[in-house]
mmCIF file of all heavy atoms in Angstrom:
data_model
loop_
_atom_site.group_PDB
_atom_site.id
_atom_site.type_symbol
_atom_site.label_atom_id
_atom_site.label_comp_id
_atom_site.label_asym_id
_atom_site.label_seq_id
_atom_site.Cartn_x
_atom_site.Cartn_y
_atom_site.Cartn_z
ATOM 1 N N LYS A 1367 104.058 115.349 91.171
ATOM 2 C CA LYS A 1367 102.650 115.522 91.356
ATOM 3 C C LYS A 1367 102.352 115.667 92.868
ATOM 4 O O LYS A 1367 101.495 116.455 93.240
ATOM 5 C CB LYS A 1367 101.887 114.284 90.839
ATOM 6 C CG LYS A 1367 101.776 114.322 89.273
ATOM 7 C CD LYS A 1367 100.776 113.161 88.824
ATOM 8 C CE LYS A 1367 100.544 113.373 87.321
ATOM 9 N NZ LYS A 1367 99.550 112.332 86.874
ATOM 10 N N GLY A 1368 103.024 114.908 93.762
ATOM 11 C CA GLY A 1368 102.794 114.934 95.222
ATOM 12 C C GLY A 1368 103.124 116.277 95.751
ATOM 13 O O GLY A 1368 102.497 116.804 96.544
ATOM 14 N N ILE A 1369 104.321 116.825 95.250
ATOM 15 C CA ILE A 1369 104.772 118.032 95.700
ATOM 16 C C ILE A 1369 103.758 119.149 95.328
ATOM 17 O O ILE A 1369 103.395 120.028 96.176
ATOM 18 C CB ILE A 1369 106.164 118.440 95.276
ATOM 19 C CG1 ILE A 1369 107.176 117.530 95.968
ATOM 20 C CG2 ILE A 1369 106.531 119.959 95.578
ATOM 21 C CD1 ILE A 1369 108.618 117.670 95.363
ATOM 22 N N ILE A 1370 103.366 119.197 94.102
ATOM 23 C CA ILE A 1370 102.399 120.120 93.620
ATOM 24 C C ILE A 1370 101.039 120.062 94.235
ATOM 25 O O ILE A 1370 100.442 121.085 94.698
ATOM 26 C CB ILE A 1370 102.312 120.112 92.028
ATOM 27 C CG1 ILE A 1370 103.625 120.469 91.431
ATOM 28 C CG2 ILE A 1370 101.134 120.976 91.568
ATOM 29 C CD1 ILE A 1370 103.628 120.298 89.903
ATOM 30 N N ASP A 1371 100.608 118.849 94.536
ATOM 31 C CA ASP A 1371 99.398 118.692 95.252
ATOM 32 C C ASP A 1371 99.343 119.221 96.646
ATOM 33 O O ASP A 1371 98.567 119.884 97.068
ATOM 34 C CB ASP A 1371 98.968 117.161 95.293
ATOM 35 C CG ASP A 1371 97.594 116.905 95.878
ATOM 36 O OD1 ASP A 1371 96.738 117.457 95.382
ATOM 37 O OD2 ASP A 1371 97.449 116.024 96.821
ATOM 38 N N ASN A 1372 100.545 118.918 97.383
ATOM 39 C CA ASN A 1372 100.622 119.435 98.761
ATOM 40 C C ASN A 1372 100.748 120.918 98.714
ATOM 41 O O ASN A 1372 100.309 121.592 99.659
ATOM 42 C CB ASN A 1372 101.871 118.732 99.418
ATOM 43 C CG ASN A 1372 101.544 117.288 99.740
ATOM 44 O OD1 ASN A 1372 100.431 116.859 99.896
ATOM 45 N ND2 ASN A 1372 102.618 116.421 99.738
ATOM 46 N N MET A 1373 101.535 121.476 97.828
ATOM 47 C CA MET A 1373 101.722 122.906 97.677
ATOM 48 C C MET A 1373 100.446 123.547 97.447
ATOM 49 O O MET A 1373 100.105 124.675 98.097
ATOM 50 C CB MET A 1373 102.707 123.158 96.643
ATOM 51 C CG MET A 1373 103.012 124.668 96.480
ATOM 52 S SD MET A 1373 104.185 124.969 95.067
ATOM 53 C CE MET A 1373 105.674 124.341 95.708
ATOM 54 N N SER A 1374 99.555 122.959 96.562
ATOM 55 C CA SER A 1374 98.224 123.644 96.281
ATOM 56 C C SER A 1374 97.384 123.492 97.485
ATOM 57 O O SER A 1374 96.663 124.452 97.767
ATOM 58 C CB SER A 1374 97.667 122.928 95.099
ATOM 59 O OG SER A 1374 98.460 123.042 93.910
ATOM 60 N N LYS A 1375 97.364 122.429 98.242
ATOM 61 C CA LYS A 1375 96.561 122.248 99.432
ATOM 62 C C LYS A 1375 97.006 123.327 100.570
ATOM 63 O O LYS A 1375 96.177 123.855 101.192
ATOM 64 C CB LYS A 1375 96.649 120.881 100.004
ATOM 65 C CG LYS A 1375 95.950 119.843 99.179
ATOM 66 C CD LYS A 1375 96.150 118.436 99.814
ATOM 67 C CE LYS A 1375 95.552 117.389 98.971
ATOM 68 N NZ LYS A 1375 95.706 116.060 99.556
ATOM 69 N N ARG A 1376 98.308 123.566 100.592
ATOM 70 C CA ARG A 1376 98.853 124.355 101.637
ATOM 71 C C ARG A 1376 98.698 125.876 101.365
ATOM 72 O O ARG A 1376 98.337 126.679 102.165
ATOM 73 C CB ARG A 1376 100.348 124.054 101.860
ATOM 74 C CG ARG A 1376 101.059 124.948 102.817
ATOM 75 C CD ARG A 1376 100.691 124.611 104.211
ATOM 76 N NE ARG A 1376 101.382 125.458 105.216
ATOM 77 C CZ ARG A 1376 101.048 126.678 105.545
ATOM 78 N NH1 ARG A 1376 100.130 127.293 104.994
ATOM 79 N NH2 ARG A 1376 101.844 127.336 106.425
ATOM 80 N N PHE A 1377 98.913 126.301 100.075
ATOM 81 C CA PHE A 1377 98.975 127.696 99.741
ATOM 82 C C PHE A 1377 97.849 128.092 98.685
ATOM 83 O O PHE A 1377 97.747 129.295 98.320
ATOM 84 C CB PHE A 1377 100.333 128.042 99.255
ATOM 85 C CG PHE A 1377 101.318 127.864 100.269
ATOM 86 C CD1 PHE A 1377 102.341 126.880 100.015
ATOM 87 C CD2 PHE A 1377 101.370 128.597 101.424
ATOM 88 C CE1 PHE A 1377 103.306 126.649 100.989
ATOM 89 C CE2 PHE A 1377 102.340 128.376 102.408
ATOM 90 C CZ PHE A 1377 103.364 127.366 102.173
ATOM 91 N N GLY A 1378 97.114 127.139 98.140
ATOM 92 C CA GLY A 1378 95.982 127.498 97.106
ATOM 93 C C GLY A 1378 94.738 127.589 97.899
ATOM 94 O O GLY A 1378 94.568 127.643 99.078
ATOM 95 N N ASN A 1379 93.651 127.579 97.043
ATOM 96 C CA ASN A 1379 92.253 127.701 97.571
ATOM 97 C C ASN A 1379 91.479 126.460 97.137
ATOM 98 O O ASN A 1379 91.629 125.990 96.058
ATOM 99 C CB ASN A 1379 91.533 129.006 96.923
ATOM 100 C CG ASN A 1379 92.269 130.213 97.447
ATOM 101 O OD1 ASN A 1379 92.447 130.446 98.603
ATOM 102 N ND2 ASN A 1379 92.671 131.082 96.465
ATOM 103 N N LEU A 1380 90.683 126.055 98.052
ATOM 104 C CA LEU A 1380 89.770 124.888 97.765
ATOM 105 C C LEU A 1380 88.753 125.371 96.761
ATOM 106 O O LEU A 1380 88.052 126.376 97.016
ATOM 107 C CB LEU A 1380 89.073 124.436 99.078
ATOM 108 C CG LEU A 1380 88.007 123.260 98.945
ATOM 109 C CD1 LEU A 1380 88.786 122.021 98.469
ATOM 110 C CD2 LEU A 1380 87.245 123.124 100.256
ATOM 111 N N ILE A 1381 88.601 124.630 95.633
ATOM 112 C CA ILE A 1381 87.704 125.101 94.560
ATOM 113 C C ILE A 1381 86.680 124.086 94.243
ATOM 114 O O ILE A 1381 85.625 124.331 93.691
ATOM 115 C CB ILE A 1381 88.440 125.470 93.292
ATOM 116 C CG1 ILE A 1381 89.247 124.247 92.682
ATOM 117 C CG2 ILE A 1381 89.345 126.682 93.429
ATOM 118 C CD1 ILE A 1381 89.850 124.537 91.407
ATOM 119 N N TRP A 1382 86.863 122.707 94.676
ATOM 120 C CA TRP A 1382 85.878 121.822 94.356
ATOM 121 C C TRP A 1382 85.965 120.503 95.170
ATOM 122 O O TRP A 1382 87.142 120.128 95.515
ATOM 123 C CB TRP A 1382 86.000 121.381 92.840
ATOM 124 C CG TRP A 1382 84.916 120.451 92.444
ATOM 125 C CD1 TRP A 1382 84.973 119.228 91.915
ATOM 126 C CD2 TRP A 1382 83.493 120.799 92.372
ATOM 127 N NE1 TRP A 1382 83.844 118.746 91.509
ATOM 128 C CE2 TRP A 1382 82.836 119.663 91.823
ATOM 129 C CE3 TRP A 1382 82.698 121.838 92.828
ATOM 130 C CZ2 TRP A 1382 81.391 119.603 91.700
ATOM 131 C CZ3 TRP A 1382 81.439 121.820 92.629
ATOM 132 C CH2 TRP A 1382 80.710 120.687 92.142
ATOM 133 N N LYS A 1383 84.921 119.901 95.549
ATOM 134 C CA LYS A 1383 84.875 118.650 96.269
ATOM 135 C C LYS A 1383 84.043 117.697 95.429
ATOM 136 O O LYS A 1383 82.921 118.129 95.022
ATOM 137 C CB LYS A 1383 84.298 118.825 97.686
ATOM 138 C CG LYS A 1383 85.217 119.539 98.672
ATOM 139 C CD LYS A 1383 84.484 119.518 100.005
ATOM 140 C CE LYS A 1383 85.359 120.129 101.067
ATOM 141 N NZ LYS A 1383 84.749 120.074 102.447
ATOM 142 N N THR A 1384 84.432 116.393 95.338
ATOM 143 C CA THR A 1384 83.625 115.456 94.737
ATOM 144 C C THR A 1384 84.127 114.059 95.227
ATOM 145 O O THR A 1384 85.245 113.701 95.253
ATOM 146 C CB THR A 1384 83.779 115.415 93.097
ATOM 147 O OG1 THR A 1384 82.876 114.512 92.550
ATOM 148 C CG2 THR A 1384 85.158 115.209 92.642
ATOM 149 N N ASP A 1385 83.028 113.264 95.617
ATOM 150 C CA ASP A 1385 83.298 111.872 96.151
ATOM 151 C C ASP A 1385 84.382 111.888 97.179
ATOM 152 O O ASP A 1385 85.245 110.946 97.207
ATOM 153 C CB ASP A 1385 83.656 111.055 94.923
ATOM 154 C CG ASP A 1385 82.630 110.844 93.940
ATOM 155 O OD1 ASP A 1385 81.398 111.007 94.299
ATOM 156 O OD2 ASP A 1385 82.869 110.753 92.739
ATOM 157 N N GLY A 1386 84.351 112.863 98.029
ATOM 158 C CA GLY A 1386 85.314 112.808 99.148
ATOM 159 C C GLY A 1386 86.867 113.325 98.781
ATOM 160 O O GLY A 1386 87.659 113.465 99.625
ATOM 161 N N ARG A 1387 86.919 113.809 97.458
ATOM 162 C CA ARG A 1387 88.224 114.318 97.095
ATOM 163 C C ARG A 1387 88.080 115.790 96.916
ATOM 164 O O ARG A 1387 87.093 116.360 96.441
ATOM 165 C CB ARG A 1387 88.576 113.694 95.678
ATOM 166 C CG ARG A 1387 88.636 112.174 95.723
ATOM 167 C CD ARG A 1387 89.270 111.477 94.484
ATOM 168 N NE ARG A 1387 88.614 112.087 93.202
ATOM 169 C CZ ARG A 1387 87.457 111.691 92.766
ATOM 170 N NH1 ARG A 1387 86.706 110.899 93.476
ATOM 171 N NH2 ARG A 1387 86.949 112.186 91.634
ATOM 172 N N GLU A 1388 89.220 116.396 97.255
ATOM 173 C CA GLU A 1388 89.298 117.894 97.246
ATOM 174 C C GLU A 1388 90.214 118.444 96.174
ATOM 175 O O GLU A 1388 91.294 117.757 95.992
ATOM 176 C CB GLU A 1388 89.690 118.487 98.638
ATOM 177 C CG GLU A 1388 88.672 118.167 99.714
ATOM 178 C CD GLU A 1388 89.071 118.765 101.109
ATOM 179 O OE1 GLU A 1388 90.307 119.021 101.223
ATOM 180 O OE2 GLU A 1388 88.206 118.965 101.914
ATOM 181 N N PHE A 1389 89.886 119.510 95.487
ATOM 182 C CA PHE A 1389 90.680 120.091 94.455
ATOM 183 C C PHE A 1389 91.013 121.547 94.802
ATOM 184 O O PHE A 1389 90.113 122.233 95.152
ATOM 185 C CB PHE A 1389 90.010 119.921 93.106
ATOM 186 C CG PHE A 1389 89.858 118.502 92.691
ATOM 187 C CD1 PHE A 1389 88.762 117.744 93.132
ATOM 188 C CD2 PHE A 1389 90.768 117.854 91.901
ATOM 189 C CE1 PHE A 1389 88.507 116.400 92.786
ATOM 190 C CE2 PHE A 1389 90.566 116.478 91.490
ATOM 191 C CZ PHE A 1389 89.409 115.777 91.956
ATOM 192 N N TYR A 1390 92.248 121.908 94.580
ATOM 193 C CA TYR A 1390 92.819 123.159 94.992
ATOM 194 C C TYR A 1390 93.342 123.909 93.858
ATOM 195 O O TYR A 1390 93.935 123.288 92.973
ATOM 196 C CB TYR A 1390 93.748 123.036 96.089
ATOM 197 C CG TYR A 1390 93.240 122.555 97.430
ATOM 198 C CD1 TYR A 1390 92.998 121.194 97.678
ATOM 199 C CD2 TYR A 1390 92.971 123.470 98.513
ATOM 200 C CE1 TYR A 1390 92.533 120.780 98.843
ATOM 201 C CE2 TYR A 1390 92.464 122.940 99.705
ATOM 202 C CZ TYR A 1390 92.220 121.697 99.848
ATOM 203 O OH TYR A 1390 91.790 121.274 101.138
ATOM 204 N N SER A 1391 93.218 125.241 93.867
ATOM 205 C CA SER A 1391 93.912 126.042 92.935
ATOM 206 C C SER A 1391 95.334 125.984 93.041
ATOM 207 O O SER A 1391 95.918 125.779 94.218
ATOM 208 C CB SER A 1391 93.425 127.523 92.981
ATOM 209 O OG SER A 1391 93.756 128.061 94.164
ATOM 210 N N PHE A 1392 96.104 126.307 92.034
ATOM 211 C CA PHE A 1392 97.640 126.342 92.106
ATOM 212 C C PHE A 1392 97.939 127.659 92.861
ATOM 213 O O PHE A 1392 97.346 128.667 92.586
ATOM 214 C CB PHE A 1392 98.368 126.350 90.796
ATOM 215 C CG PHE A 1392 99.761 126.206 90.809
ATOM 216 C CD1 PHE A 1392 100.246 124.932 90.901
ATOM 217 C CD2 PHE A 1392 100.625 127.247 90.790
ATOM 218 C CE1 PHE A 1392 101.644 124.668 90.942
ATOM 219 C CE2 PHE A 1392 101.954 127.148 90.796
ATOM 220 C CZ PHE A 1392 102.592 125.764 90.885
ATOM 221 N N PRO A 1393 98.902 127.666 93.889
ATOM 222 C CA PRO A 1393 99.119 128.858 94.587
ATOM 223 C C PRO A 1393 99.760 129.997 93.710
ATOM 224 O O PRO A 1393 100.484 129.685 92.758
ATOM 225 C CB PRO A 1393 100.187 128.380 95.650
ATOM 226 C CG PRO A 1393 100.745 127.149 95.080
ATOM 227 C CD PRO A 1393 99.698 126.527 94.325
#
């Protein structure tokens, strides 16, 4: 999960923010 999360932050797109948390698309 950690690797996928970091990969998405690095190479995906920001798609949603809520309560200070950010969610990214899968690269």
Side-chain angles (χ1 to χ4, degrees):
K1367 286 187 171 186
I1369 290 172
I1370 292 174
D1371 186 52
N1372 289 332
M1373 181 180 288
S1374 299
K1375 288 177 181 177
R1376 178 70 177 84
F1377 300 113
N1379 296 307
L1380 178 64
I1381 59 171
W1382 187 241
K1383 288 184 178 181
T1384 180
D1385 299 328
R1387 303 188 310 284
E1388 296 181 340
F1389 296 83
Y1390 292 79
S1391 64
F1392 192 84

